[in-house]
Every structure is written in C-alpha cells, then in structure tokens.
Amino acid sequence: MRSSMSWEDLYPILLNGTLETLYMVLFAALFTVLIGLPVGIVLFITRPTGVFAMPKFNALLGTIINIGRSLPFIVLLIALIPFTRLLIGTTLGSTAAIVPITIGAFPFFSRVVENALDEVDKGRIEAILSMGGNVWHVISKALLPEALPSILAGITLTIVLLIGFSAMAGVIGGGGLGDLAIRYGYLRFNDQIMFGTVLLLIVMVQGVQSFGDYLVRRLAHRR
C-alpha cells in the first residue's frame, strides 16, 4: 500500500536527512584526507625508486590499501560493526556511520594522492636533492605544491564517493538520506520520499563536483 505525505510533513524529514548526510560527509571527508594524504605520500616516497625507498614496507602497505579498496562497502559496513561499537559505543546514527565511511574511503584517496604525486616533474625532486634537501624538503617544496591541483580534484572525487557511501550507510541505520529512503521510502512504499532523497543526493553530487572543478580551475590558472 502506497502512502503520501503533505509538504508540511515532508519538508522537516528531508531537511533532517540532508543535514545528517552533510554532517557525515563533512567529517568523513576531513578524516579521510587526514589519513589518506600521509598514507598516499608514504606510498609514493617508499617506492623502490622513491626518495625514501623501502620496497618491503611499500609492498606491505600497498597490499593493505588494495585489500581495503577491493572490499565492497556494504560488506565493510557489516564487518566493521564490532569496531564501530567499540569506538563509538553504538552502531546506529550518523556519528557511528562516519567510522566505516572513513575506513572505506581513505584507501581510495591514498591511491589518488599517490597517482597525483607521480605526475610531479622528477627534475624538481632531483634539483632539491642535489642542493642538499632532505625528504621533508622534497615533500613540502616539490611534491605537495606541484600536485595540489590534482590532489584537490581527488578530494572532490572522494567527497562524491563519500556521498554515495553515506547513502549506503542507511542500510545499518546510519541516518541521513539513505536511511530516510529505506525506512520512509522503500519500506513504506512512499514515492515522494524516494524521489526527494534521490533528487537531494543528485543536487549534492552536482554541487560538490561543480565547486571542486571551479577551485581546480582557479588554482591551475593562478599557477
């Protein structure tokens, strides 16, 4: 049996779901960058040909990152329930959902960072090393400044991924638009909720992508 709701009833529900989704995506993006950026740098500099070569460590870290990337997110959501409960005290709600969302996203972002650094002109790196620079100088003076537009584009792509992850987190009661679509839309056969949540997710993705592309263009133009 299908149900319908008035705009007065629909508006606060969609607004609350949108705010919960934004909350999850904002903090998951922050933690993903804080974890994924240094991991991506380490992956790059510890390559066999890197400025701080550690082939065995690089192979181990790369394997761990690849395993994290290969797991379907819905499987990861369920597998991390005990860890999330240990860390947060609950597996329900938007705050709890940030844990699996971050863990699911940072391996992807790490590889994005590694690939962005791989585009940096090797001549810049060699010039810094020839002048007596160390690994930190290479990272701060060459790698990060030169790769910044690509990293920013990668952050945009990652945030779009996080929006999708936040929607899937609704399967385990993670809150946000995904949870709203399941509880009020799918289970109650409410087409208004389903259409509203899909529309809001599309708007979010388009907004993030457009703003990210704008920032990348501005940064590239200044350079």
Side-chain angles (χ1 to χ4, degrees), residues 42-205:
V42 171
L43 282 169
F44 180 78
I45 66 174
T46 58
R47 289 176 173 181
T49 57
V51 294
F52 194 67
M54 298 176 63
K56 292 183 178 179
F57 174 79
N58 182 271
L60 176 61
L61 181 59
T63 300
I64 294 173
I65 294 299
N66 289 337
I67 292 174
R69 291 182 59 194
S70 64
L71 290 175
F73 183 65
I74 189 65
V75 174
L76 191 65
L77 273 175
I78 299 172
L80 288 175
I81 285 177
F83 177 72
T84 302
R85 184 182 293 113
L86 177 66
L87 192 65
I88 305 297
T90 180
T91 59
L92 301 176
S94 302
T95 300
I98 292 172
V99 176
I101 291 174
T102 301
I103 294 176
F106 92 82
F108 169 81
F109 182 64
S110 297
R111 287 300 188 187
V112 169
V113 172
E114 182 187 17
N115 291 334
L117 298 178
D118 203 26
E119 298 175 2
V120 176
D121 183 10
K122 302 301 185 294
R124 292 288 303 273
I125 299 175
E126 294 172 358
I128 292 175
L129 293 175
S130 67
M131 292 186 292
N134 55 30
V135 175
W136 171 247
H137 292 136
V138 170
I139 294 172
S140 61
K141 302 296 184 181
L143 294 180
L144 291 180
E146 292 294 320
L148 189 56
S150 296
I151 291 175
L152 183 56
I155 291 175
T156 301
L157 185 62
T158 303
I159 293 176
V160 171
L161 179 72
L162 291 173
I163 293 174
F165 280 1
S166 71
M168 282 189 280
V171 173
I172 61 169
L177 292 172
D179 185 47
L180 186 64
I182 293 172
R183 289 194 295 116
Y184 287 88
Y186 176 72
L187 296 179
R188 300 186 184 184
F189 302 99
N190 191 316
D191 294 335
Q192 292 172 295
I193 292 291
M194 291 296 293
F195 177 78
T197 53
V198 170
L199 181 62
L200 286 169
L201 288 171
I202 292 174
V203 170
M204 284 185 189
V205 169

